[in-house]
Amino acid sequence: MKILTGNDLKTGDVTWWTGSDWSRHVEDAVDVGENFEAILHEEEAARRVNVPYAIEAEMTEDGPRPAHIKDRVRALGPTVRPDLTLKPADPEAGNWVI
Amino acid sequence: MYQYDKYDQQMVDTRVAEFRDQVERRLAGELTEDQFKPLRLMNGLYLQLHAYMLRVAIPYGTLNSKQMRMLGHIARKYDRDYGHFTTRQNIQYNWIKLEDAPDILADLASVEMHAIQTSGNCIRNISSDQYAGAAADEIADPRPWAEILRQWSSFHPEFSYLPRKFKIAVIASDDDRAAMRLHDIGIQLVHKDGELGAKFYVGGGMGRTPMIAPEIRDFVPADELISYAEACLRVYNRYGRRDNKYKARIKILVHELGKEEYTRQVEEEFAHMKTLGLNPPVEELARITQYFADPAFDTGASDDLDLSDPDFKLWVDQNTVAHKQPGYAIATISLKPKGGIPGDASSAQIDLMADLAEQYSFDEMRVTHSQNIVLPHVKKSDLYALWQKLDEADLAPANLHLITDSIACPGLDYCSLANARSIPLAQKISERFADLGRQRELGELKLKISGCINACGHHHAGHIGILGVDRKGTENYQLLLGGSAAEDTSLAKITGPGFDEDGVIDAIETVTDLYLKERQEDERFIDTYRRVGMAAFKEAIYG
C-alpha cells in the first residue's frame, strides 16, 4: 500500500493523510494507491502540509506500518527519547521501529 | 569575549526582521517551499525528521553565561526542554515551530547570537581550540583571529554562494584539539624568527571522501592572514566543481589539481591581491584583541588541591588540564553520562552551567567539538565546590577522552540524511564500558559514531569509528580503526564486513581486549594499533 506523509507547515510535526485531512498518527493513514499526485499538489497548495510525499507501507493489525525504518522513526518519534514519542507510556514502542 | 559593535548588532537585527517577513510570507502562501527553503537555511532552519531544526552558531564555541541562559530559555520556551551541542561547537534544537523561529532569532540577537551561515554553501562558523586563551601550551590566543575571520566571512559577498560549504579552524598550539587538518582550511598560528604568523593547511574534510589537509604554506605573516585566506577561497570559488555536489568541496579541487598547482594558483592570486591595495580587516585586530584580554586572575592563587575525596580526584585527573595561570585549571564538563545522549543538555543543566561559569570561570564557557562544555578559568581552590555542584546535576562523569566520552551525530533518531541510528550505540557502549576503572585502564580512546557517510560524528577520525549504513532496509554498522583528529591526524580504515548493533559492540570489546593484550608500556590504543597493524585486529574480530 501507499500512504502519504509530510510535515505540518507551521509546527513541522509529522503528519499522515487520512483521506480527508492530516493526522499526527500513522494508524490513521489510508492507502492512496497510485493516484496521489493530485492530493499532494492540492494539499501543499492549500498549505495544510509541507513537502508531502508518498511512501510504501504494509497493513498490519495495528494499522499501516511504513516500509522503511526512517518513516517508522518519523511515525513514532526518537527512539532514544521515549518520553518525546507519540507513545510515551509504551516502553515497547521502540520495538515497532526496528 | 567579543562584544558586538553597532554594525554587528544592526546586521543581526536587520536579518531577524527580514526573516520575520519571509516567514510571514511563507505562512501566507506568498512563498512556496522551494522559494522559502534557501531563505530559511540561510538562517539555520532545517526541516528534519520530526520537525524544524534550528542550528545556532556559537562563534568558535565561546559563550558567556547570559548567552548560555538564553540557550536554556529557548530550549524551555520553544523546544522540548533540551538542546544538542554539536561537533561544530554549535547547538541544535530539534522541535522548533516555524511560526516561533523569528522570535527565537530575536531572542538570540538580544544576546549577540544568531543562526546565520549555519547552513548553505558559505563559510560556516569558525571553529577553534576550546582551551584558547587558557591553554598552557598556546603561543598566542587564537580567538582574536577566529573573530576577525568570523567578521571577514560574515555576509562576505564573494563567498556567499561557494561551490559547497566551507569550514575553517584556527589553533595556536602544537596539540591540535580542534581537528584542524580535517577542515577546508586549517590555520595554525606559529612564530618564525620572533614574528607571529600562520601555517596554512587546505583541503581537509570528512564526509564521503575523507582527506587530511596538506600544508600549503609554512608561514604567512599575521597581517596578511586574511588576504591569504581570501586567496585560498578565490581559487576554490573559481574552480570548485559546481557540476557535482559530491565533488564540490575544496578537498576534491586540491586533490585533483594537486597540492603544488593549487598552491601556485593561491600564491598568484595572493600576489595579485597585494597589488590592489586592499585593507583587510586585520586593521581591526587591535580593537578586537582587547575583548580577549585575560580576566583578572588572582595572581596569588595556590596550586594546592585537597584530593582526599577519591571521586573528586578521579574527576580532577581526567577532566581538568593545566592552565597558563598558576593556581587555575581548565575544567571540562562531560555531557556523556552513562546511558546518556552525547551532547544533549536539559534547560536546567544549561542554566546550571551558566551559573557555574559566572561563579567560577569569569563568566566564560566553550563548546568543544567533542560535544562537551569547558569552563576555561577555574581557580583550583574552587574545583571541589564546582565538582560537587556538577555531580548533583549528573554533569560530572570523569570520562574525558575515555571510551564513553564518545562523539555521536543525531543519527536516524533525528536526522533526515541518516541511514542508521547512532545515539543508541553510544548509549549501549557507555553502559557496556561503564566501569570507570576499566575505562581508565583502556586510557585515551576516541570513539566516534556517524549515522551516515556525511560523517557528522567524525567516524573517520576515531581511534575506533563506527559508520551506520542501510543494508537492505536494516541498520548495519561498519567498524573502523586507526583514525585521529589530533596533531597526529590519520584516517580510520574499515575492518571488514559490518555488524548489527550488538555485534559491533562485541567487536569493540574484542579490539579493546586485543589492545590490552598487545599494549607496550604507555601506549594508547591508537599507538598499539599503528604498531601492530590492522591484520591482527581483523583476525581477532573475524577469525
Side-chain angles (χ1 to χ4, degrees), chain B residues 257-533:
Chain B
L257 280 180
K259 179 186 106 170
E260 290 73 20
E261 174 58 17
Y262 172 76
T263 304
R264 187 194 68 73
Q265 294 193 28
V266 169
E267 294 291 338
E268 191 175 282
E269 182 65 35
F270 184 50
H272 170 67
M273 287 175 64
K274 286 204 279 191
T275 68
L276 300 177
L278 295 174
N279 293 314
V282 74
E283 292 179 343
E284 279 277 273
L285 189 63
R287 184 185 71 82
I288 289 171
T289 299
Q290 65 181 330
Y291 293 114
F292 297 98
D294 281 346
F297 292 124
D298 175 359
T299 53
S302 170
D303 277 319
D304 293 340
L305 204 51
D306 178 358
L307 296 172
S308 55
D309 183 326
D311 290 334
F312 173 59
K313 182 179 185 306
L314 283 172
W315 182 79
V316 169
D317 283 351
Q318 204 64 52
N319 287 39
T320 69
V321 297
H323 197 284
K324 67 181 183 182
Q325 178 70 27
Y328 286 80
I330 303 168
T332 298
I333 301 170
S334 169
L335 298 181
K336 319 289 172 59
K338 178 186 171 187
I341 297 175
D344 272 15
S346 68
S347 62
Q349 289 177 320
I350 291 172
D351 285 349
L352 177 66
M353 291 190 284
D355 292 345
L356 296 175
E358 191 169 32
Q359 188 172 359
Y360 296 118
S361 185
F362 294 97
D363 206 27
E364 273 193 51
M365 279 154 288
R366 314 282 169 73
V367 181
T368 81
H369 84 269
S370 298
Q371 302 176 282
N372 294 317
I373 304 295
V374 164
L375 299 180
H377 312 297
V378 183
K379 198 187 276 191
K380 286 185 178 174
S381 58
D382 288 333
L383 279 174
Y384 190 63
L386 169 67
W387 171 77
Q388 286 179 307
K389 289 173 183 173
L390 290 172
D391 197 36
E392 287 171 10
D394 203 19
L395 287 170
N399 61 355
L400 190 66
H401 305 316
L402 303 179
I403 189 168
T404 62
D405 179 24
S406 59
I407 287 177
C409 71
L412 190 55
D413 277 300
Y414 291 101
C415 178
S416 57
L417 297 176
N419 292 317
R421 292 172 299 158
S422 31
I423 296 169
L425 268 181
Q427 291 175 310
K428 286 188 176 179
I429 291 166
S430 79
E431 286 164 356
R432 177 84 68 99
F433 289 87
D435 181 81
L436 191 55
R438 185 184 185 194
Q439 291 184 53
R440 286 169 64 86
E441 171 67 13
L442 289 170
E444 181 186 308
L445 210 169
K446 306 291 181 120
L447 176 71
K448 308 189 181 195
I449 309 168
S450 300
C452 79
I453 201 163
N454 293 303
C456 295
H458 295 190
H459 64 277
H460 298 298
H463 296 176
I464 298 176
I466 300 174
L467 168 63
V469 297
D470 179 341
R471 189 177 175 196
K472 296 178 181 174
T474 61
E475 296 165 302
N476 190 261
Y477 297 95
Q478 294 179 342
L479 183 66
L480 299 91
L481 300 175
S484 171
E487 59 281 2
D488 58 350
T489 314
S490 60
L491 299 174
K493 292 179 179 167
I494 296 172
T495 56
F499 306 87
D500 63 15
E501 188 175 278
D502 291 333
V504 78
I505 298 171
D506 290 341
I508 289 170
E509 198 153 30
T510 300
V511 300
T512 54
D513 286 348
L514 180 63
Y515 156 62
L516 291 176
K517 185 179 161 195
E518 296 289 338
R519 177 170 62 185
Q520 292 180 356
E521 300 177 353
D522 297 330
E523 278 184 338
R524 303 169 299 162
F525 176 88
I526 185 73
D527 301 324
T528 300
Y529 169 81
R530 286 170 177 163
R531 178 176 55 76
V532 171

Side-chain angles (χ1 to χ4, degrees), chain B residues 169-275:
Chain B
V170 53
I171 67 171
S173 55
D174 286 334
D175 284 357
D176 181 2
R177 293 176 282 264
M180 182 264 293
R181 293 187 67 187
L182 294 166
H183 283 71
D184 296 287
I185 293 181
I187 298 172
Q188 181 182 359
L189 300 180
V190 291
H191 279 137
K192 187 176 182 183
D193 301 328
E195 184 187 358
L196 181 68
K199 228 180 240 188
F200 267 70
Y201 299 85
V202 180
M206 289 189 253
R208 65 183 57 226
T209 314
M211 290 187 186
I212 298 170
E215 178 189 314
I216 69 160
R217 223 203 210 223
D218 67 352
F219 191 80
V220 177
D223 60 356
E224 296 178 345
L225 187 153
I226 297 294
S227 296
Y228 200 77
E230 184 131 348
C232 293
L233 263 296
R234 280 190 167 185
V235 174
Y236 168 56
N237 205 18
R238 196 176 298 148
Y239 297 115
R241 292 279 301 273
R242 291 176 188 272
D243 63 314
N244 185 335
K245 178 182 177 182
Y246 302 115
K247 294 185 177 180
R249 296 290 292 267
I250 193 173
K251 60 190 174 187
I252 304 296
L253 179 70
V254 174
H255 180 72
E256 290 187 349
L257 280 180
K259 179 186 106 170
E260 290 73 20
E261 174 58 17
Y262 172 76
T263 304
R264 187 194 68 73
Q265 294 193 28
V266 169
E267 294 291 338
E268 191 175 282
E269 182 65 35
F270 184 50
H272 170 67
M273 287 175 64
K274 286 204 279 191
T275 68

Side-chain angles (χ1 to χ4, degrees), chain A residues 7-14 24 44 47 49-51 67-70 72-81 84-85 94 97-98, chain B residues 26-29 33 47-52 80 82 95-99 341 412-418 421 423-424 427 470 473 475:
Chain A
N7 293 78
D8 184 87
L9 175 61
K10 289 183 181 176
T11 65
D13 286 343
V14 175
R24 291 281 287 116
E44 183 157 37
R47 286 169 282 125
V49 67
N50 200 13
V51 287
H68 198 278
I69 185 172
K70 185 173 290 187
R72 295 197 292 273
V73 174
R74 290 180 71 246
L76 177 70
T79 63
V80 292
R81 287 292 303 266
L84 301 181
T85 67
V97 167
I98 306 162
Chain B
R26 172 66 183 127
L27 292 173
E33 180 61 13
L47 185 56
Q48 289 286 14
L49 278 193
H50 308 295
Y52 294 98
R80 299 199 177 179
Y82 70 105
W95 303 93
I96 296 300
K97 294 178 172 59
L98 177 59
E99 53 199 357
I341 297 175
L412 190 55
D413 277 300
Y414 291 101
C415 178
S416 57
L417 297 176
R421 292 172 299 158
I423 296 169
Q427 291 175 310
D470 179 341
E475 296 165 302

Side-chain angles (χ1 to χ4, degrees), chain B residues 93-108:
Chain B
Y93 297 100
N94 294 304
W95 303 93
I96 296 300
K97 294 178 172 59
L98 177 59
E99 53 199 357
D100 288 338
D103 289 340
I104 298 171
L105 296 184
D107 284 353
L108 288 169

